[in-house]
Amino acid sequence: MSGSEGTFDAVVVGAGPNGLAAAVTLARAGVSVAVLEAAESIGGGTRVAELTLPGFVHDVCSGAHPMGIVSPFFRELALEKHGLEWIRPAASLAHPFDDRPAAILWHSLERTCGELGRDGARYERLIAPLLRDPHGLLADLLGPLRVPEHPSSFVRFGVRALWPATWLARLAFRDEPARALFAGCAAHSILPLTQPLTASFGLIFSLTAHVGGWPVARGGSIAITRALGSVLESLGGTVHTNHRVRSAADLPPARLFLFDTDPLQLAEIAGPALPDGYVRRLRRFRFGPGVFKLDLALDGPIPWSDPRCLEASTVHVGGSMAEIAASERAMWRGEHAERPFLIVVQQSAFDPGRAPAGRHTGYAYCHVPHGSTVDMTNRIEAQIERFAPGFRDRILARHTLGPADLERRNPNDVGGAITGGAADLTQLFTRPLVRLDPYSTPNPRVWLCSASTPPGGGVHGMCGYHAASRALRRLGSAARAPLV
Ligand SMILES: Cc1cc2nc3c(=O)[nH]c(=O)nc-3n(C[C@H](O)[C@H](O)[C@H](O)COP(=O)(O)OP(=O)(O)OC[C@H]3O[C@@H](n4cnc5c(N)ncnc54)[C@H](O)[C@@H]3O)c2cc1C
């Protein structure tokens, strides 16, 4: 950073999707901004690497992007003009069963309903009303709790969203396929499915399947943050990699400081500039469970018993709703499910450049207790083999990432938590803690902009966008100075 030190209005710590979204928001308003990134490259939870064998390009973290393609901020930036190409398979999600054909969330609502038997009409009644103005609804949902701009869609969503996912699934549907499909979507909450508000995840993930789909990014998820980086560069912003910020002394003077970090790092770095009581509350933030991830080099596609599973970017492997609920209950209790619920993404089926000709990448993870050290490789492979006999014979090489590995790669992933912290009733909208403006801190120069603020985890940049939009309002009253 030498040479330009001291010349910024705003400094952003962390070049993940939210840090970059915050920096772009500031730069668009004419603010000079520098982003300081600990790793050797930008990207945070969107990095790619040849984790298994040469030529196999794996998404290290995010794989499919239901929220990325519908993100109001990403849409406004037209990231496609900066090199991002979304690949949208015909199906967002496939959900295989032991004894019947897979249930599938096609991009087409009609086709999805047509295959759900007597639950088809019920699924349509649940989702179709949310599709009347999906982008308006998503703009209200992907932000802090506030008076909605689209109240009728919001209320329509809200009355169902408050329920536990298993309750809503039982009430709304009669048969296992639709119930399990909904439960798998809700399991993205990383909460027991009997908790209130878990239905909201089921609804949002189902809804997005019929709006933008659950796309993969051509070349890897890094294409999303590279596009953001390109927008930032075009606006004059700068990124400084290999710059880990450990204390306020590592920050150049600025008027605003935005942290794309977890709340513990915010407490550690900005603590001397914040009241003790606020810092103590930040340190009580709950991160929730972690994940265990398995990446594979495969000598062919996964041989699903129902080959239609190959038409979806994502496959939820977990069987019935009861089994999925049991898996998610176990990780919440500090146990490891014998048959874990898996999120499998099939990037190379749609983006052939991810693997050598005829070969494929494999991507699967399950939820595990916070900080777990248990190797889940065998259990993950057994679950896939259950629905895809012969799968294990296709494995050429494996790479595993447990909670400690994830945290080593990215200090934000505390205990392997991948979505910025537990998104339960007490922390979904009030993250990192209860405050009228959750992005602000008692110091008007210090802001949190990571997934530990609303709307939480996922590659959508909306935490960064909202934090920076609010911070901008305080810019006028802040003088350029060291943080402490
Ligand atoms: C295994 C896994 C699978 C996932 N799957 C999906 C998925 O399929 N779809 C989806 O949408 N999301 C997925 N996610 C979640 C998604 O990646 C995150 O929610 C998202 O990246 C959060 O963005 P962020 O900018 O808040 O933080 P991050 O992406 O974590 O970025 C933070 C950046 O800040 C840097 N940093 C942290 N501390 C410091 C410091 N002190 N000094 C300097 N730099 C610092 C980090 O190195 C990092 O680059 C997944 C995550 C993981 C780990």
Side-chain angles (χ1 to χ4, degrees):
M1 272 188 67
S2 56
S4 50
E5 200 161 324
T7 60
F8 313 110
D9 285 328
V11 166
V12 178
V13 179
N18 283 313
L20 292 168
V24 168
T25 306
L26 294 165
R28 287 172 105 201
V31 172
S32 62
V33 54
V35 183
L36 312 180
E37 167 55 49
E40 62 187 22
S41 62
I42 65 166
T46 64
R47 295 201 179 92
V48 299
E50 292 184 335
L51 295 173
T52 53
L53 295 173
F56 289 82
V57 180
H58 299 275
D59 285 323
V60 179
C61 302
S62 73
H65 298 95
M67 304 304 164
I69 194 167
V70 297
S71 158
F73 187 57
F74 288 180
R75 276 161 38 91
E76 189 186 325
L77 292 180
L79 294 179
E80 291 79 359
K81 289 190 189 142
H82 291 264
L84 172 61
E85 187 190 339
W86 294 119
I87 305 176
R88 288 199 321 186
S92 296
L93 171 66
H95 190 123
F97 297 97
D98 295 306
D99 53 357
R100 58 178 105 204
I104 296 185
L105 280 188
W106 299 99
H107 189 238
S108 153
L109 178 68
E110 202 185 346
R111 187 169 177 192
T112 305
C113 295
E115 292 181 5
L116 283 176
R118 60 178 175 162
D119 276 333
R122 293 166 176 273
Y123 183 83
E124 188 175 0
R125 273 203 297 281
L126 187 67
I127 299 299
L130 307 178
L131 286 167
R132 279 183 209 143
D133 175 18
H135 292 293
L137 174 61
L138 286 161
D140 279 333
L141 295 176
L142 293 176
L145 208 51
R146 60 207 191 282
V147 179
E149 283 182 23
H150 307 84
S152 55
S153 304
F154 194 81
V155 169
R156 214 176 285 127
F157 174 85
V159 290
R160 292 167 181 89
L162 293 170
W163 291 52
T166 44
W167 292 20
L168 184 61
R170 271 195 207 100
L171 190 82
F173 305 120
R174 290 284 164 273
D175 296 323
E176 191 54 49
R179 286 179 175 172
L181 203 55
F182 189 77
C185 289
H188 284 257
S189 62
I190 322 188
L191 295 170
L193 302 186
T194 45
Q195 279 205 10
L197 265 178
T198 46
S200 67
F201 287 82
L203 290 169
I204 294 183
F205 278 85
S206 304
L207 170 71
T208 54
H210 309 296
V211 185
W214 296 11
V216 301
R218 186 173 302 282
S221 303
I222 190 68
I224 305 166
T225 34
R226 281 203 184 122
L228 280 170
S230 159
V231 177
L232 181 62
E233 198 184 331
S234 72
L235 295 166
T238 52
V239 180
H240 307 263
T241 50
N242 293 312
H243 190 123
R244 170 102 186 237
V245 177
R246 293 179 193 278
S247 74
D250 298 328
L251 294 165
R255 296 163 76 186
L256 294 175
F257 298 89
L258 287 86
F259 289 81
D260 184 15
T261 68
D262 64 87
L264 297 185
Q265 288 200 83
L266 173 66
E268 193 59 33
I269 298 164
L274 294 167
D276 289 347
Y278 179 80
V279 170
R280 267 199 304 276
R281 287 166 70 206
L282 278 182
R283 292 203 164 114
R284 288 203 291 267
F285 185 76
R286 288 174 303 110
F287 286 91
V291 309
F292 183 95
K293 180 164 179 274
L294 178 63
D295 287 286
L296 301 164
L298 300 170
D299 78 354
I302 299 177
W304 301 108
S305 299
D306 184 338
R308 295 176 313 143
C309 291
L310 282 172
E311 294 188 53
S313 64
T314 306
V315 184
H316 283 166
V317 175
S320 68
M321 175 167 86
E323 264 188 88
I324 298 168
S327 167
E328 300 310 277
R329 193 167 51 240
M331 59 82 193
W332 193 255
R333 285 185 179 160
E335 297 160 9
H336 296 79
E338 213 36 66
R339 293 176 134 194
F341 167 70
L342 311 182
I343 294 170
V344 172
V345 183
Q346 316 189 101
Q347 293 91 334
S348 59
F350 309 98
D351 184 10
R354 303 280 190 106
R359 306 247 160 121
H360 285 271
T361 53
Y363 168 114
Y365 70 84
C366 64
H367 303 144
V368 292
H370 185 89
S372 159
T373 53
V374 173
D375 185 338
M376 297 295 282
T377 306
N378 275 334
R379 292 184 224 193
I380 292 178
E381 286 181 11
Q383 277 286 66
I384 302 178
E385 182 79 27
R386 175 179 159 198
F387 300 100
F391 155 72
R392 274 194 165 123
D393 299 337
R394 297 215 164 152
I395 299 175
L396 301 170
R398 300 174 170 81
H399 180 275
T400 61
L401 286 166
D405 307 309
L406 288 165
E407 189 172 340
R408 207 173 304 117
R409 282 174 169 267
N410 181 348
N412 284 9
D413 295 347
V414 180
I418 64 169
T419 53
D424 57 10
L425 198 53
T426 56
Q427 277 195 173
L428 181 60
F429 290 107
T430 52
R431 49 212 280 134
L433 44 78
V434 182
R435 207 174 151 76
L436 212 52
D437 179 348
Y439 310 96
S440 70
T441 72
N443 184 330
R445 296 169 65 215
V446 178
W447 297 78
L448 187 63
C449 68
S450 69
S452 301
T453 61
V459 176
H460 45 62
M462 294 304 290
C463 312
Y465 164 76
H466 284 295
S469 304
R470 287 156 182 244
L472 274 170
R473 295 180 207 151
R474 297 294 193 93
L475 184 68
S477 57
R480 187 179 294 158
L483 176 59
V484 180

